[in-house]
Amino acid sequence: MSLRDFLRQMEKEKEVLHVKDALSTSFEIPFVMKKFDKEGPVLLFEKVKGYDTKAIANVCGTRRRICAGLGIGQEGLYQTLTEAWGSPKKPKTVGDGPVKEVVERADLSRFPFLTHFEKDAAPYITSAVVYAKSVDGKVENVSVHRLEVLDKNHLAIRLVPRHLFKLWQMAKEAGKDLDVSMSIGVHPAVLLAASSPVPFGVCEFDVANALIGNGLRVVECEHVNACAPAEAELVLEGRISASKEVVEGPFVDITGTYDVQRRQPVVDVVGVMRRRDFVYEGLLPSGAEHRLLMGLPHEVLIWESVSKVVPKVCAVNLSVGGSGWLHAVISVEKQVDGDGKNVLLAAFAAHPSLKHAVVVDSDIDVFDPCDVEWAIATRFQAGEDLVVVKNVRGSTLDSSADQETGLTTKMGVDATRPFTKPKEKFERAKIPAGRNVETAVRRLRGL
Ligand code: MN
């Protein structure tokens, strides 16, 4: 399954907005992406100034679309993800695929890479899934990394000390550069799998393949020792240098603030495979899609962890205002007073970057900030229900954390109804008007 298959489905569901004006890759396209970020449609930029290529953005911009990509309803999302994490399936390797329609030498100046924010150092590739395997071939890994475009055949790659970083170190110790494929324009399942916290040793392509019922095909690359999705739009083939580094950034991360500059490795881009009429996929840093892809898998971790302390977890939301990373709202059915605080502790343990968490009862919509605020207003007593933990390791993305030690203060808010007070005091008043009036209201709204 490919990004194109998904786009056809989204066209049918009227989820694609066609942008007809010719816009520039420098700020203009990102500006439109930002304007349509909130629960916005897929954006198809039909004319990109200076390039023949179309660009697409905000593909995974809503929960609904991500679920549609997996062919499931929202209620089944966490279950589906945990099942795929636990039972990865190797995708079939095929000899040829649409991504090999054109095989050519690297010339990055020909692709419409986007410059997003005012102080960004350069154009950045933000939607690429990077595949690499260990020198002995035993470990394969796929993950998402930002790539700064340095010139016609060089990129800088941000390597957080996780799996790809480890593979790069292993290659360095063997005195080798690390071959990678960088695939742009892949099915949402591949992006979601590449963002998933599966252990070192599990190949995220296998997770993606499990997520879409054995629907992924991969091909061997033409210029490097790596594989890539056979139906990707564009694949850059390269080697992460064992010796060359540059100062990477400035660049905007998930909170919408500028990340610090660091020395990071250089990727020598040695070849390109692409579809003849490839579409370039953009992804707005700090936008909805960034928050969802990074946050969703961690909602699953919180859900699993909290499920161990209360019998029913109704919903988890790493909320938009918390950049999809630092704030969680969790709704549960608690059994006794005190459960709420255990929920908070379990959430902090499951997602170490989490800074503020709110636990609410099952009648509160965790996706509605007003509803959550109402629960805090009517069910929460700071003297009783507040958990504050000082000097904990938090997220490096939290600008207010101690910049040297990375330590932060975490706050948990138990906004569940206390069982010690009369239930009636907390009941939400309803108007029992019936179906008749609902129809009348719909007519008034012109629906
Ligand atoms: Mn991994």
Side-chain angles (χ1 to χ4, degrees):
M1 275 204 263
S2 67
L3 174 61
R4 288 190 187 204
D5 296 328
F6 182 64
L7 290 178
R8 266 191 294 275
Q9 185 187 342
M10 289 303 101
E11 288 280 10
K12 268 189 216 143
E13 295 178 21
K14 307 248 179 295
E15 286 263 339
V16 184
L17 185 63
H18 291 252
V19 184
K20 310 262 185 201
D21 293 306
L23 297 178
S24 157
T25 54
S26 183
F27 305 128
E28 291 185 359
I29 288 175
F31 183 84
V32 175
M33 286 159 79
K34 176 116 178 138
K35 285 288 166 197
F36 286 89
D37 185 55
K38 205 173 175 187
E39 290 293 306
V42 177
L43 296 167
L44 182 62
F45 296 93
E46 295 189 353
K47 291 185 197 126
V48 181
K49 265 186 211 163
Y51 300 89
D52 298 331
T53 319
K54 291 177 184 176
I56 193 150
N58 206 24
V59 174
C60 299
T62 64
R63 282 168 198 269
R64 204 200 72 76
R65 276 207 292 280
I66 289 176
C67 292
L70 304 181
I72 55 167
Q74 285 198 40
E75 66 294 336
L77 179 59
Y78 297 163
Q79 192 85 37
T80 303
L81 281 173
T82 46
E83 278 168 19
W85 295 353
S87 54
K89 273 197 193 80
K90 198 129 264 339
K92 192 172 172 198
T93 301
V94 291
D96 200 5
V99 74
K100 292 200 179 188
E101 283 172 3
V102 179
V103 175
E104 60 191 5
R105 289 167 59 136
D107 179 1
L108 299 179
S109 67
R110 299 176 52 206
F111 305 130
F113 302 133
L114 305 176
T115 306
H116 304 88
F117 292 96
E118 194 176 10
K119 294 179 189 167
D120 283 1
Y124 263 86
I125 302 165
T126 48
S127 68
V129 297
V130 182
Y131 168 96
K133 61 182 161 192
S134 57
V135 181
D136 63 7
K138 283 185 183 150
V139 174
E140 297 177 279
N141 192 73
V142 186
S143 43
V144 182
H145 299 265
R146 67 190 194 218
L147 300 159
E148 179 182 342
V149 181
L150 301 173
D151 60 36
K152 276 166 77 167
N153 47 11
H154 293 96
L155 301 164
I157 186 166
R158 167 73 175 128
L159 289 183
V160 180
R162 288 194 73 243
H163 299 170
L164 183 61
F165 179 84
K166 188 166 175 182
L167 290 177
W168 173 60
Q169 284 205 316
M170 286 158 69
K172 267 210 296 196
E173 278 160 24
K176 290 184 173 155
D177 295 340
L178 183 67
D179 284 16
V180 289
S181 68
M182 296 161 278
S183 304
I184 299 161
V186 293
H187 189 274
V190 179
L191 273 171
L192 195 59
S195 319
S196 290
V198 289
F200 186 69
V202 175
C203 179
E204 287 82 355
F205 279 158
D206 304 4
V207 174
N209 189 42
L211 275 174
I212 47 175
N214 236 347
L216 187 69
R217 297 284 174 272
V218 296
V219 287
E220 292 298 333
C221 288
E222 291 287 330
H223 304 85
V224 294
N225 186 13
C227 68
E231 294 179 285
E233 295 292 322
L234 167 68
V235 175
L236 309 177
E237 301 170 77
R239 297 193 177 99
I240 306 181
S241 169
S243 54
K244 284 183 280 180
E245 287 184 354
V246 286
V247 174
E248 185 264 346
F251 186 71
V252 168
D253 213 318
I254 199 166
T255 52
T257 56
Y258 289 92
D259 197 0
V260 296
Q261 292 172 281
R262 304 172 186 84
R263 290 195 73 77
Q264 292 290 298
V266 169
V267 186
D268 297 310
V269 184
V270 296
V272 170
M273 306 189 296
R274 63 176 174 86
R275 290 178 184 248
R276 196 161 288 115
D277 61 342
F278 79 94
V279 179
Y280 177 73
E281 185 177 9
L283 188 151
L284 183 69
S286 77
E289 201 174 10
H290 186 185
R291 290 191 303 263
L292 280 172
L293 288 170
M294 203 162 137
L296 257 178
H298 290 81
E299 288 179 358
V300 180
L301 296 181
I302 293 173
W303 176 71
E304 282 183 317
S305 169
V306 172
S307 298
K308 290 176 187 140
V309 299
V310 283
K312 182 149 192 222
V313 187
C314 304
V316 180
N317 179 21
L318 282 170
S319 61
V320 174
S323 299
W325 196 243
L326 300 175
H327 287 182
V329 186
I330 305 145
S331 65
V332 298
E333 275 172 17
K334 75 170 184 181
Q335 291 183 304
V336 289
D337 281 328
D339 275 352
K341 282 184 183 154
N342 279 341
V343 167
L344 295 167
L345 296 175
F348 287 129
H351 176 38
S353 291
L354 187 61
K355 185 178 173 191
H356 299 144
V358 183
V359 55
V360 294
D361 296 304
S362 58
D363 62 330
I364 303 295
D365 179 359
V366 298
F367 297 104
D368 178 353
C370 288
D371 221 26
V372 176
E373 189 179 348
W374 179 83
I376 296 172
T378 60
R379 298 179 181 181
F380 168 75
Q381 283 287 303
E384 307 291 325
D385 305 322
L386 182 67
V387 179
V388 175
V389 191
K390 288 186 185 173
N391 294 322
V392 213
R393 191 167 76 83
S395 170
T396 53
L397 300 171
D398 169 11
S399 313
S400 78
D402 188 302
Q403 294 303 298
E404 270 179 26
T405 60
L407 296 178
T408 191
T409 299
K410 304 203 174 195
M411 177 177 77
V413 171
D414 180 359
T416 56
R417 176 178 71 79
F419 289 162
T420 49
K421 299 202 172 87
K423 198 176 172 191
E424 311 75 62
K425 288 290 288 176
F426 298 93
E427 193 187 320
R428 304 178 90 176
K430 293 191 188 97
I431 302 178
R435 267 176 192 274
N436 236 350
V437 127
E438 279 173 30
T439 314
V441 169
R442 263 203 297 280
R443 208 173 298 124
L444 284 168
R445 286 189 170 147
L447 296 170

